[in-house]
Every structure is written in structure tokens, then in C-alpha cells.
Amino acid sequence: MLMQDSIDLALKMTTGLPTKLILKASAAHPKPEGVTFSYGTAGLRTKAAVLDSVCFRMGLIGALRSKRLQGKVVGLMVTASHNPEEDNGIKAVDSRGEMLEAAWEPFCTQLANASTDDELISVLESIIITFKIDLSIPATVVYGHDTRPSSPHLVKALVDGLVAFGTQLIDAGLKTTPQLHYLVKAHNTKGTPEAYGEPSEEGYYKKISQAYLKLVAGKPSLSPLVVDCANGVGAPALLAITKYIAADALPVRILRTSTGVQGALNNGCGADFVKTNQRLPIGLEKDGIEAGDRLCAFDGDADRLIYFYCNGPPSTKSSFRLLDGDKIASLATDYISELVKKADIDIKVGCVQTAYANGSSTKYLKQRVPVTCTPTGVKYLHHAAEAYDIGVYFEANGHGTVLFSPEAVRTIKAAQASPSSPAAQDALEQLEQLTELINQTVGDAISDMLLVEFILRARQWGPEEWDGAYEDLPNKLLKVNVKDRSAFKTTDAERRLTSPAGLQEKIDELVGKYKGARSFVRPSGTEDCVRVYAETALASDLDSLANGVAKLVQESSGST
Ligand code: 16G
Ligand code: MG
């Protein structure tokens, strides 16, 4: 295109930009000085006190993204997940219910950091031109928030951003992150053959509870499950779903539900606390927990799930046993691939993990299905799982779900017309219900919990039997503060470093000294640090390897 032509086109595309309205609204949401924001692995996240302008600007982004997608509904979720209560953040949800297209992320960062009105407008213009956005298309955005005290204020800022573009608003109010993903997909598929469910919170509960009830029908009940809701939004959501599922179908004790208590959120409880510290939520041993009880924990926005139990007195630290995302992936993959075999259909099941997956889980899974490794972050796993007919993906930290390709769903439905045996018919029915039970837009603590509960019930397993699938290799995760984490560059799904020069060779040399060992280093996408993961066959080697690699990282970078 000639230079003049492209200038004309750019002018034409941006003439509809309501500059005055945007700047007037923006004046009420000034960017704090001296703060640099970054759209990280899962959105923007930092101290709530500095996020007002970011939320306003993400409202602008939401409107533009919806326009770009021909007016389809997109989502914005105000949450900081498992972070402390004083943090907050915002995640954007694309029209199919998945995470925002990665190409938009750098623009979110640029817009959040624009420090003058001119800069703000110029970033908006570059988004419009880059993505060829027709501003005359009306936008619709559904938005929700978690239980943080700062959330309502930040939602107001977000709405101001949306209104500046004349966006049609759908206020979802208090929601779990996966519920918001569900709503986006449900809105966009309403009235189509792919209708995902009623676009309401009630529709969400109905869809998954009906599937669960069909799946567990006739299967003897298990002992009650104890759930730690992290004092977050998972508490009201879980309470709500128990209105749709009677206690004999889902015997459950719901704990850590203090959403109104200041400072309680994710504090000494929740999935991240349990996984990182490899211990019970603080004080849980005094809640009448016994050895062998099935326990699980959500994170603050209920998109992560971790199970655990004690194989001895709960007051003894050594009795703690973790059933993390890897164990959930193994349980689900094993059960689903068995169903596919019984159903006698030509469907390929695969599993997606990250480098953090315990080596024993990868070995276990590889004996059953193909396994892919991706970089950290749901968007990478989700994408890779789409390559399989049925793709199970989980991060060790409990983020994950199962995806059924449209072709797999068609095959399952079609095969039900002429199943090869009664066993095949039963397996096909189960597979069909699983497509309804599982929230396929994103990992969902509640839906994943029901999946685990169903499988355990079908197998009549307690936590010990599930845990018996394989024994985790001893492992450790360390945080190293460095001067500049951007100096750390990785390849091979984050399993190897390409920079700083020479560091990977030193790590390799060190790892080679320990039996059955593995270690990798990556810059965090959510915190200003570098993470070191180490795994060894012998527990006695673990500290020495993890500390040794951390030392190499420090030496190579000059720690802070
Ligand atoms: C975010 C990611 C999570 C990932 C974590 C890694 C989503 C929805 N969340 O919380 O999947 O495990 O970041 O954090 O993608 P890190 O980069 O600080 O290690
Ligand atoms: Mg979360």
C-alpha cells in the first residue's frame, strides 16, 4: 500500500474514536506516577491501591476486543486469584471463553503504562489500526469480580472505561473466574447448535449439577469431602451448587468460608498455600479432620483445585499427603482413556503438562497416552490440549480441565446410536455427561472437584488408592531475587535456558552429579523473581541440588 493510502486508511479507521469522552473519563482515573504495569501470565495483577487506572483502561480494551470480534461478548474479571487480599488484578476473557488472544497482551501493557493523554490516545489508535477494528460495531462486555474489598471500586473504574465506548454492559457481579468464562461462552453460543448452556449463574449450576447427578446415579456414596474455600468466592459458589445436588450425592463439609472477614482471603489456607507449603491449611487439624479423610482446597477465585489427606494423625506434619494437579490429571486421564476403550470408538486421548509436572506423573501418563509439555500458563496448556480429540491438561498447582474436540463430541453422540455392547453404551453415556460436567472454557475448581468426586465414586476409591498410582519424586521450588529477571530466557517449554550465556551448561553439570535428577530455571510471569525447580530420586539429594542451582543463578546475575 502507498504511504498516503495507509495514512488515509488509518485516519478513516480512527475517526470514530470518542477521544473527548475517553479523555474526560480518564481524568477521573489518573495513572499513578512511578508505577510500571505489565500484562503477565494471566492478566495484570498488583497492589489494588494502584489499579484504578489499569481497570479503567482495561475497560477500553474490552470494548475494542468485542468490536474486533464483530460485537461478540467478551469478559473482564476483577480478581488477583491466590494473591494476598490487598492485591487485585484483571483478566480478560475472549469470546469462546478462553483467555485473551496473546497478540493483545503487549497492547494492554502499553495502554496501562501510557503516562499522558496523547500517549493514551495514540496506543488506542495503534490497537485500532493493528487489529483493523471497525469502531462502528457495538461492543458487549460481561464483567465480574471476586470477594476482595477493593473489587467493587475497581469494577466502577472498569465500567467507566466501557461506557466511554458506549459498550453494552452485562454486570455479572460476584463470580468465580471460571463462571465468568462460562458466561462469555454461553452468551456467544446462545441459540446456536453449539449452545453451551443458559448464560446465567443458575444456568452454570444446572448444567454441571445435572451432569454430575446422572454420572453418580446408582454409585454408592463416599465419606464426606472437606473443602477449604480459601475464604473466597468459591465459598458462596459451592454453597449455591449444593442446592442443586443433594447431600447424599455430594456429601461435603464446606470450610474457610469467611468472605467478609478482613484479611482472611487466601490467608493460611487455599490451594496455593497447601501446594506451596505442602501442609494442611492452618488450624485444619482442629476442625475434626481424621486420617484418611478426603480434603481439597480452592484458590481465591476458584480456578485451582488441590486435593490432600493425612495418612496418620493430622497433627503430625509427616502424615500430610498431597494430591496435586498432576495427580488429578493422572486420575482423569486414566479414567477417561479407559472409558474411550470401553466405548470402542476411535478417539485419541492426550495429556498436557508443564515442566513443573512431577517426573513420576509424566512417566505414569506416558505409559497410557501421548503427553505434551508446554510453557507455564493456562493459555499454553489449553491451546496444546486442543490438538487432541480429548485433551486433559493440568498444571501441578491445580489449574486444569479436559477439552473435548467438536469431532470427539460428534463421535460420542453418533456412536450411541449403535453401541457395540452394553458396556460400550454405558461408557458412551458417561463420556457424554463428562462433556457437560467439565467446564471446558478454563480450569474450574468446582467442576474439577465434581469430576474427581465422580471418578473416586465410580472406582470406590479413597484418597490412598488414588495416591497409590505413583509416588512423587522429592521436589522443591525456590525463588531467587535477581537484578533483572528479563535476562533469563528459556527454550524447550521452559526446560532450558538460552540466556544468561553459559548458565544452562553449569546447571547440566550439577544435575548430572545426582541420581535421577532434573532441574530448570525460569523467570516468573507474575512476580519479580526467578524460579528454580529441582527434583531428585533421593530425598537426601534434594536440598543440595536446589540450593546449588539457586546459587548458580545468583552468581550469574548478581542477586538483589
Ligand atoms: C498464573 C497462571 C498459572 C501459572 C502461574 C505461574 C493462568 C490463569 N494462571 O497464575 O497458570 O501457573 O501464573 O506463575 O494462566 P509464575 O509465572 O509466577 O511462576
Ligand atoms: Mg486462580
Side-chain angles (χ1 to χ4, degrees):
M1 208 188 296
L2 291 174
M3 179 88 120
Q4 189 55 46
D5 287 351
S6 37
I7 293 172
D8 287 350
L9 183 66
L11 269 175
K12 200 169 147 221
M13 291 188 77
T14 55
T15 39
L17 188 64
T19 310
K20 272 198 192 136
L21 266 177
I22 289 172
L23 291 180
K24 190 165 170 241
S26 173
H29 303 284
K31 177 184 178 289
E33 269 173 40
V35 190
T36 309
F37 301 104
S38 159
Y39 198 98
T41 316
L44 286 135
R45 205 181 285 181
T46 184
K47 295 280 161 264
V50 297
L51 271 172
D52 180 86
S53 62
V54 168
C55 285
F56 169 75
R57 294 168 187 205
M58 282 302 290
L60 301 174
I61 292 270
L64 288 176
R65 182 69 188 149
S66 171
K67 286 173 188 288
R68 171 68 185 94
L69 297 169
Q70 267 62 49
K72 290 220 174 79
V73 179
V74 301
L76 290 170
M77 177 74 193
V78 174
T79 178
S81 186
H82 59 278
N83 284 35
E85 188 168 299
E86 61 272 21
D87 289 7
N88 216 326
I90 184 157
K91 299 183 185 178
V93 183
D94 252 351
S95 61
R96 289 188 304 136
E98 75 285 33
M99 297 177 73
L100 177 68
E101 186 181 285
W104 280 60
E105 293 180 359
F107 290 97
C108 296
T109 302
Q110 277 179 36
L111 195 69
N113 290 317
S115 51
T116 62
D117 282 359
D118 284 352
E119 224 182 294
L120 185 78
I121 296 300
S122 114
V123 178
L124 289 174
E125 285 176 346
S126 76
I127 296 174
I128 294 162
I129 293 164
T130 307
F131 297 106
K132 300 193 174 55
I133 296 170
D134 178 350
L135 289 173
S136 68
I137 295 176
T140 306
V141 174
V142 54
Y143 54 94
H145 62 88
D146 68 10
T147 55
R148 288 180 158 74
S150 57
S151 288
H153 166 81
L154 294 174
V155 166
K156 278 199 190 109
L158 181 98
V159 168
D160 283 354
L162 293 169
V163 167
F165 267 116
T167 311
Q168 188 184 332
L169 307 176
I170 307 176
D171 180 1
L174 185 67
K175 289 285 169 293
T176 69
T177 294
Q179 283 176 339
L180 194 83
H181 283 254
Y182 165 90
L183 286 175
V184 171
K185 185 160 179 167
H187 275 294
N188 287 320
T189 53
K190 192 177 173 180
T192 73
E194 291 80 41
Y196 195 58
E198 269 303 304
S200 65
E201 187 173 337
E202 201 192 346
Y204 165 90
Y205 295 131
K206 274 195 190 148
K207 177 178 161 102
I208 64 177
S209 62
Q210 279 166 8
Y212 177 76
L213 288 169
K214 282 189 193 146
L215 283 162
V216 299
K219 301 196 165 53
S221 191
L222 297 174
S223 61
L225 166 71
V226 176
V227 188
D228 158 6
C229 297
N231 295 317
V233 63
L238 181 57
L239 208 65
I241 206 161
T242 57
K243 307 228 164 71
Y244 297 79
I245 304 177
D248 59 334
L250 182 66
V252 70
R253 267 185 74 201
I254 309 177
L255 301 180
R256 304 298 179 267
T257 57
S258 304
T259 52
V261 175
Q262 207 189 340
L265 178 67
N266 298 323
N267 194 351
C269 59
D272 193 61
F273 178 86
V274 173
K275 167 76 182 163
T276 331
N277 298 291
Q278 312 218 354
R279 56 156 293 174
L280 289 180
I282 291 173
L284 202 78
E285 67 281 4
K286 297 191 205 94
D287 279 308
I289 305 303
E290 288 177 14
D293 280 352
R294 236 162 44 262
L295 316 166
C296 74
F298 301 168
D299 73 337
D301 61 339
D303 64 353
R304 279 199 206 182
L305 175 71
I306 292 289
Y307 268 72
F308 48 102
Y309 71 103
C310 298
N311 63 4
S315 51
T316 339
K317 198 171 182 285
S318 61
S319 72
F320 176 84
R321 298 282 305 176
L322 188 66
L323 295 158
D324 64 0
D326 297 339
K327 288 269 174 168
I328 299 174
S330 304
L331 183 78
T333 305
D334 193 42
Y335 191 80
I336 291 172
S337 25
E338 218 175 276
L339 280 184
V340 167
K341 221 177 270 162
K342 276 193 204 145
D344 197 16
I345 44 177
D346 185 20
I347 277 185
K348 300 268 171 309
V349 182
C351 190
V352 185
Q353 302 186 301
T354 71
Y356 287 115
N358 194 278
S360 296
S361 76
T362 311
K363 191 170 157 207
Y364 175 91
L365 284 162
K366 279 189 171 165
Q367 285 160 358
R368 288 160 176 78
V369 296
V371 178
T372 316
C373 182
T374 72
T376 304
V378 167
K379 58 196 171 205
Y380 301 110
L381 289 110
H382 192 95
H383 188 67
E386 284 177 331
Y388 295 112
D389 297 331
I390 300 180
V392 180
Y393 76 81
F394 270 91
E395 289 188 307
N397 63 22
H399 261 300
T401 186
V402 183
L403 303 182
F404 294 78
S405 73
E407 186 54 36
V409 174
R410 271 194 293 277
T411 307
I412 293 165
K413 287 211 171 115
Q416 289 188 62
S418 52
S420 61
S421 66
Q425 186 179 2
D426 176 57
L428 287 164
E429 274 164 20
Q430 290 194 39
L431 283 168
E432 188 181 2
Q433 291 311 323
L434 287 177
T435 67
E436 296 286 315
L437 173 71
I438 297 167
N439 185 342
Q440 293 180 54
T441 60
V442 77
D444 180 333
I446 292 182
S447 146
D448 287 344
M449 180 194 86
L450 294 176
L451 170 68
V452 170
E453 288 300 294
F454 156 64
I455 298 176
L456 294 180
R457 202 158 159 152
R459 295 224 186 272
Q460 286 293 301
W461 275 3
E464 293 93 344
E465 283 95 345
W466 171 14
D467 198 13
Y470 60 84
E471 185 62 26
D472 271 333
L473 288 171
N475 62 90
K476 194 156 212 171
L477 186 60
L478 293 179
K479 236 193 227 188
V480 185
N481 292 316
V482 294
K483 274 200 185 112
D484 177 14
R485 74 180 148 136
S486 69
F488 290 77
K489 301 225 166 19
T490 63
T491 182
D492 189 22
E494 303 181 325
R495 287 174 289 195
R496 298 189 64 77
L497 285 168
T498 52
S499 154
L503 179 56
Q504 186 61 52
E505 288 70 22
K506 286 186 189 153
I507 296 172
D508 289 344
E509 198 188 322
L510 187 61
V511 169
K513 292 184 179 153
Y514 298 90
K515 190 175 163 229
R518 184 168 74 93
S519 178
F520 66 91
V521 171
R522 58 175 279 277
S524 160
T526 63
E527 281 179 70
D528 192 12
C529 68
V530 163
R531 300 202 198 280
V532 170
Y533 177 86
E535 195 177 274
T536 52
L538 304 172
S540 52
D541 283 345
L542 187 61
D543 283 346
S544 159
L545 175 63
N547 296 335
V549 175
K551 191 158 166 268
L552 290 174
V553 168
Q554 265 158 4
E555 285 166 1
S556 75
S557 75
S559 57
T560 51

